[in-house]
Amino acid sequence: MSNPALSFKVTRQAPELVVPAAPTPHELKHLSDIDDQEGLRFQVPFIQFYRQSHLGRSRDPAGVIREAIGKALVHYYPFAGRLKEVGSGRKLAVDCTGEGVMFIEADADVSVDEFGDVLQPPFPGLDELLFDVPGSGGILGCPLLLFQVTRLTCGGFIVAVRLNHVMADTTGLVNFLTAVGEMARGQPDVSVRPVWCRELLSARDLPRVTCVHHEYDQVEGTIVPFENMVQRSFFFGPDEVAALRNLVPPHLTRCSTFELLTAVLWRTRTVSLKLNPADEVRMMSVVNARHKFNPPLRIGYYGNAFAYPAALTSAGELSANPIGFAVQLVKKAKNEVTEEYMKSVADLMVLNNRPHFTVVQSYLVSDVTRVGFETVDFGWGKAAFGGPAKGGIGAIPGFIVLYIPAKNKKGEKGITIPICLPAEVMDVFVKELDGLLETGRLAGDTPKKKTTPLITSAL
């Protein structure tokens, strides 16, 4: 498990701007209306751990990656610009000024192994490994990416990245990081050409909302209190998934692991919050829409290309019904996303002044297990861990939940899910979840055995 008590010192050099390594166009490029929504105007932290490798041949990772970023920015030059609002309706555009992305070189008196035998969020010292340079974290007029490369005592290193979410989704960021890795490894060109084409996901000339979008309902009420929030990570490997699958009826046992875990966690979270049974609750799942278009979006498209359709029910119905009820709701919501659905969202943004998605009694899930963060190679091999740096991202703690690829101590592949909840709610959540797992194991005639605690790290 990760070591939450770990303490170490990070020595940083002065932040600098890395500019494209060759001249780039100076132009104004509009974001799409899927990019340009209130709910994406925030910074997202990611982190990559790399162990010492003979592949690096004693090269300095900070110097190598700094130079590679400059080369990759020649292709992805909008990242070197700055955002501004143009015209009416708070429309965002990138002023491609070539000012560059922010870069910090650092050293830490700690090794990769000291972070624990399982690398997963929450990571100790994250604020030191991804330093928030004063004045750099705004949405408008600020660097669109921040990199910090921290060398470790073991010869390994950490690459932490902060992304302005309106510029790209996780697929788009991995496209860029892959290009940086290719430049770092000495390739003469990027293997996938970046594609802008944001007009493909912009509102139509005559905007019209043709689908139901409960994810943008304007609902009054209170959200989860911010006080006394704690974050814990839960690992779901083959044993845990098999146990939970025993809780659904036969006709739903072929549901995806994502659908199963989302149903279980949504229901468990709702039970733990002890909501009024009449309260309306929402689950929103991020659905990649790249292949929903005809033809599909080109592979190099690096803008935001997803929707988060909502499943609705009451807290009482969700809590009282078995897991299969929630699974069916999740499956139905996911299947709503089509090309027309995406166009309808873009039109809604323009017609309704770019509303924020619903946050009252809502729960948003994003699966990044197949995005490919761990495959990013800067010349030292694949990452020992790659993905979101923490749970609870966004302006509202605990609202967005991320599914991250991970391995347990036995080397089994699974999914780590960081959860943020008030401490007293978290205690109930753990008890409820453990109870479901135990019931599932018994239902599958799995002998009761001592297992690794489900909570694998806490901070």
Side-chain angles (χ1 to χ4, degrees):
M1 59 184 289
S2 294
N3 181 4
L6 180 64
S7 178
F8 53 89
K9 181 182 179 182
V10 177
T11 304
R12 288 182 300 274
Q13 298 187 22
E16 58 183 299
L17 288 172
V18 176
V19 301
T24 55
H26 192 161
E27 58 189 353
L28 193 68
K29 298 180 83 71
H30 288 84
L31 295 184
S32 80
D33 290 308
I34 298 297
D35 298 318
D36 191 1
Q37 46 186 303
E38 187 64 36
L40 296 184
R41 293 191 181 199
F42 68 97
Q43 305 280 352
V44 197
F46 300 90
I47 195 164
Q48 309 277 117
F49 284 75
Y50 293 89
R51 299 187 186 277
Q52 184 181 34
S53 169
H54 68 281
L55 298 172
R57 294 185 297 278
S58 302
R59 297 188 300 165
D60 170 29
V64 168
I65 294 171
R66 180 196 295 109
E67 181 179 351
I69 291 170
K71 292 178 179 178
L73 284 174
V74 175
H75 304 279
Y76 288 84
Y77 64 89
F79 273 131
R82 299 292 183 266
L83 283 177
K84 64 180 184 180
E85 292 180 342
V86 295
S88 60
R90 302 166 60 229
K91 179 67 177 177
L92 286 176
V94 187
D95 190 4
C96 298
T97 59
E99 290 174 71
V101 304
M102 190 153 283
F103 183 89
I104 304 169
E105 179 179 344
D107 294 275
D109 59 351
V110 67
S111 68
V112 172
D113 288 341
E114 289 179 82
F115 281 88
D117 47 14
V118 175
L119 293 171
Q120 61 184 18
F123 294 104
L126 179 60
D127 290 344
E128 295 295 313
L129 296 169
L130 185 58
F131 181 63
D132 181 14
V133 178
S136 73
I139 299 302
L140 304 178
C142 290
L144 299 172
L145 285 165
L146 183 151
F147 283 82
Q148 181 172 327
V149 179
T150 305
R151 293 176 291 254
L152 307 177
T153 55
C154 58
F157 60 95
I158 294 170
V159 180
V161 185
R162 190 184 69 193
L163 166 72
N164 185 327
H165 202 337
V166 298
M167 281 295 292
D169 57 16
T170 52
T171 299
L173 177 61
V174 168
N175 282 357
F176 177 68
L177 294 178
T178 299
V180 174
E182 291 170 343
M183 298 296 96
R185 301 197 309 275
Q187 289 187 202
D189 200 356
V190 295
S191 60
V192 176
R193 288 281 172 188
V195 174
W196 186 260
C197 293
R198 305 288 172 111
E199 68 278 1
L200 295 175
L201 279 82
S202 285
R204 291 171 280 206
D205 288 339
L206 292 174
R208 54 196 184 278
V209 178
T210 55
C211 301
V212 176
H213 298 288
H214 287 303
E215 62 270 32
Y216 298 105
D217 288 345
Q218 300 305 297
V219 179
E220 293 185 1
T222 57
I223 57 177
V224 174
F226 295 162
E227 294 79 20
N228 199 22
M229 294 289 280
V230 296
Q231 180 182 155
R232 295 179 176 178
S233 280
F234 300 83
F235 178 82
F236 294 88
D239 291 344
E240 290 80 12
V241 172
L244 294 174
R245 207 172 282 280
N246 289 331
L247 301 176
V248 299
H251 70 283
L252 291 175
T253 53
R254 294 179 67 85
C255 67
S256 70
T257 298
F258 171 83
E259 291 163 351
L260 177 65
L261 293 180
T262 300
V264 167
L265 295 177
W266 180 30
R267 182 180 180 276
T268 304
R269 183 178 185 270
T270 302
V271 170
S272 305
L273 287 168
K274 295 183 170 63
L275 303 176
N276 184 318
D279 284 355
E280 187 176 67
V281 292
R282 277 171 179 72
M283 184 291 308
M284 296 176 275
S285 64
V286 171
V287 177
N288 185 344
R290 283 170 167 77
H291 294 284
K292 304 290 186 179
F293 286 78
N294 184 20
L297 298 181
R298 287 158 59 191
I299 190 171
Y301 188 86
Y302 63 102
N304 291 284
F306 62 85
Y308 20 76
L312 269 71
T313 186
S314 69
E317 284 281 307
L318 184 61
S319 302
N321 274 289
I323 298 298
F325 175 78
V327 170
Q328 289 177 308
L329 289 174
V330 173
K331 287 173 71 73
K332 181 177 182 295
K334 278 179 56 185
N335 291 333
E336 289 175 0
V337 179
T338 61
E339 181 173 350
E340 180 61 31
Y341 191 94
M342 296 299 294
K343 290 178 179 178
S344 181
V345 171
D347 292 351
L348 184 148
M349 289 298 117
V350 171
L351 293 172
N352 291 9
N353 194 31
R354 311 193 183 283
H356 199 291
F357 46 74
T358 313
V359 295
V360 175
Q361 310 299 21
S362 296
Y363 176 68
L364 192 153
V365 178
S366 180
D367 181 0
V368 300
T369 57
R370 294 183 177 88
V371 175
F373 281 102
E374 69 282 0
T375 67
V376 174
D377 180 357
F378 298 108
W380 281 259
K382 293 182 179 181
F385 172 90
K390 63 178 182 178
I393 62 170
I396 302 165
F399 174 74
I400 301 175
V401 176
L402 301 165
Y403 293 9
I404 304 169
K407 292 181 180 179
N408 62 10
K409 286 192 288 188
K410 295 187 288 185
E412 294 175 326
K413 290 184 178 181
I415 300 173
T416 282
I417 304 177
I419 301 287
C420 275
L421 286 169
E424 65 278 6
V425 177
M426 183 66 80
D427 290 340
V428 180
F429 182 90
V430 172
K431 183 178 178 181
E432 290 285 336
L433 194 51
D434 281 341
L436 287 175
L437 284 163
E438 185 63 19
T439 300
R441 290 189 179 106
L442 292 172
D445 295 321
T446 305
K448 188 173 181 180
K449 59 181 180 179
K450 287 195 174 182
T451 58
T452 306
L454 184 63
I455 303 172
T456 48
S457 65
L459 200 62

